[in-house]
Amino acid sequence: MNNYYAVIEAGGTKFNCAVIDEHKQFLARSRIPTTNPNETLALVSDFFEQARRPNQPYTALGIASFGPIDMSPSSPTFGYITSTPKPGWSNTDMVVPLAKQLKCPVAFDTDVNGAAYAESLWGAGKGKEVVIYITVGTGVGGGVVINGRPVHGLIHPEMGHMLIPGHPAIQGVCPFHTDCVEGLASGAALSKIWQQPAEQLEDEHQAWDVQSTILSQLCHNLLMSLSPQKIILGGGVMAKPGLIEAVIEKTQISLNHYLTLPHSVQLQDVISPTGLNQDSGLLGALALAQTQAIELPNERKTQNGDT
């Protein structure tokens, strides 16, 4: 009997859900809009119930979620989304309802840590010691893998809320920090700042020159602080043709020849698109489920009166 896993890439716009076997083969998948917690999680539960194989339990559940989140198993709010900018989702328990329904161990991490993990195992960061994955979508987030393990630390990396110089043409819109990367360069920020969705901005629009400047400032800081061998740029906004090339060019200018890269390595070898295309997040949730799944603490198993 093969192992098979329930996996979720929980984003601010959509929940990508899938059932994947131990060979990374997708057996079922669904895209569910991120509306309110009750509605979205109910649809997620329905999907996994319908996709469940008769007489074969899920081996584990892997959730790679937007955040901030509580990842400490000893915490009474382990598995919660905490103080997120996403309206209506603060203090949402992601883990207990799903893990109890599916009756399996669970792994819980950020969506970007999951994607970074998958890229380090099977994608653009394979074989590298320090891998950073940045997603530029509805929000901006960053995950770090060092020597094969996602970085957590005090809580977990929140690179999207790094303060940067910004750009004189715009003011950021983050409700927490105003001019952080997310407040300046996320898909939601682009829509607010330029008064139209990012996908409707013309190629010649000033927004893209500003966008590449903001992201090059982020890359500059990451290169100086963590010395990654890979900075992988993903997410829907990064699908814009020419954007990643502009980011690389402006990062090179910003570095001003300060860094001497290893022999035969160029900056475009370091800053790159994903190696797993749109499946980085789901495969990240799979990697988490395969290597980091735990049983819920007893006090969480009896939450809401269950025994």
Side-chain angles (χ1 to χ4, degrees), residues 193-214:
I193 291 167
W194 303 105
Q195 296 297 299
Q196 58 182 307
E199 60 270 20
Q200 295 180 13
L201 294 168
E202 296 179 354
D203 293 347
E204 298 78 17
H205 197 288
Q206 181 188 10
W208 299 115
D209 180 65
V210 173
Q211 184 78 354
S212 58
T213 298
I214 300 300

Side-chain angles (χ1 to χ4, degrees), residues 219-290:
C219 289
H220 177 119
N221 289 343
L222 295 176
L223 286 162
M224 295 299 180
S225 58
L226 291 171
S227 195
Q229 288 121 328
K230 274 288 182 182
I231 300 174
I232 301 165
L233 300 180
V237 175
M238 292 310 304
K240 180 67 177 178
L243 180 56
I244 193 167
E245 291 81 6
V247 172
I248 293 169
E249 180 181 356
K250 291 186 178 182
T251 304
Q252 188 80 67
I253 294 169
S254 176
L255 292 173
N256 197 27
H257 307 291
Y258 180 74
L259 292 183
T260 301
L261 299 181
H263 178 67
S264 77
V265 175
Q266 297 182 336
L267 195 58
Q268 57 263 40
D269 301 319
V270 179
I271 302 173
S272 75
T274 68
L276 301 173
N277 300 316
Q278 299 303 311
D279 288 331
S280 297
L282 283 172
L283 291 174
L286 171 66
L288 294 169
Q290 289 179 324

Side-chain angles (χ1 to χ4, degrees), residues 11-206:
T13 299
K14 62 185 180 299
F15 274 46
N16 288 321
C17 304
V19 178
I20 308 178
D21 69 16
E22 60 192 23
H23 305 294
K24 301 195 292 293
Q25 297 299 310
F26 285 75
L27 307 177
R29 61 196 303 168
S30 179
R31 173 175 170 169
I32 296 168
T34 307
T35 54
N36 63 70
N38 288 338
E39 182 178 52
T40 301
L41 294 179
L43 292 172
V44 170
S45 296
D46 289 345
F47 165 73
F48 285 120
E49 283 299 329
Q50 294 170 13
R52 186 192 295 271
R53 289 187 166 188
N55 304 316
Q56 186 175 356
Y58 289 110
T59 305
L61 166 65
I63 304 175
S65 175
F66 71 95
I69 63 174
D70 186 343
M71 300 182 302
S72 174
S74 63
S75 169
T77 55
F78 167 67
Y80 276 58
I81 294 173
T82 57
S83 56
T84 179
K86 179 69 176 176
W89 282 82
S90 291
N91 302 312
T92 294
D93 188 350
M94 293 281 286
V95 163
V96 165
L98 294 170
K100 288 167 67 174
Q101 177 193 353
L102 300 183
K103 296 181 174 61
C104 64
V106 61
F108 186 59
D109 208 325
T110 64
D111 50 353
V112 281
N113 257 359
Y117 196 20
E119 290 285 346
S120 72
L121 291 172
W122 306 307
K126 185 175 180 179
K128 306 299 184 184
E129 295 172 296
V130 182
V131 176
I132 298 175
Y133 179 92
I134 301 293
T135 185
V136 187
T138 304
V140 177
V144 186
V145 172
I146 297 179
N147 293 327
R149 295 188 62 83
V151 170
H152 297 151
L154 180 66
I155 305 172
H156 53 74
E158 278 288 350
M159 295 173 184
H161 291 271
M162 185 183 295
L163 295 176
I164 56 172
H167 194 284
I170 62 171
Q171 182 175 5
V173 296
C174 174
F176 294 94
H177 312 117
T178 308
D179 286 342
C180 62
V181 179
E182 179 166 295
L184 293 162
S186 66
L190 286 170
S191 295
K192 290 180 181 179
I193 291 167
W194 303 105
Q195 296 297 299
Q196 58 182 307
E199 60 270 20
Q200 295 180 13
L201 294 168
E202 296 179 354
D203 293 347
E204 298 78 17
H205 197 288
Q206 181 188 10

